[in-house]
Amino acid sequence: MAGYSHDKQDHLKRLRRIEGQVRGLQRMVDEDQYCIDILTQVSAANRALQSFALALLEEHMAHCVADATARGGAEAEAKVKEASDAIARLVRS
């Protein structure tokens, strides 16, 4: 079971909202809106995706990583490395 399962509907709602933001960007370009207005909306969409990613990462660490570390061994090391790599990817983006 995924660590985010208990909040799955909330996550899906949030992703649909982000999807709407991206569709709004497409509409703005189609309607030849002002560049700075589009860039402002791109920034908002990026922040929304980053916020979603951080919430998902937090749940992953609270459930998947915590469960693995409680069991110990190679699986724990792998889960910590996996989380660390995910954090590195988020920081670079």
Side-chain angles (χ1 to χ4, degrees), residues 59-78:
E59 289 182 1
H60 176 68
M61 292 179 69
H63 297 282
C64 303
V65 176
D67 289 347
T69 55
R71 287 191 297 275
E75 182 185 357
E77 291 176 21

Side-chain angles (χ1 to χ4, degrees), residues 21 25 36-50:
Q21 286 180 293
L25 285 165
I36 297 302
D37 294 340
I38 296 170
L39 290 170
T40 299
Q41 292 307 311
V42 167
S43 179
N46 279 332
R47 281 191 312 271
L49 275 171
Q50 288 172 345

Side-chain angles (χ1 to χ4, degrees), residues 1-40:
M1 180 178 216
Y4 60 84
S5 293
H6 65 286
D7 289 330
K8 185 175 182 176
Q9 292 308 312
D10 291 336
H11 289 312
L12 289 171
K13 183 192 296 187
R14 199 169 185 180
L15 286 169
R16 282 190 285 275
R17 197 173 314 122
I18 294 167
E19 180 183 20
Q21 286 180 293
V22 173
R23 279 195 309 272
L25 285 165
Q26 292 170 331
R27 189 171 40 257
M28 290 176 81
V29 170
D30 187 49
E31 295 172 357
D32 296 321
Q33 299 259 339
Y34 186 56
C35 300
I36 297 302
D37 294 340
I38 296 170
L39 290 170
T40 299

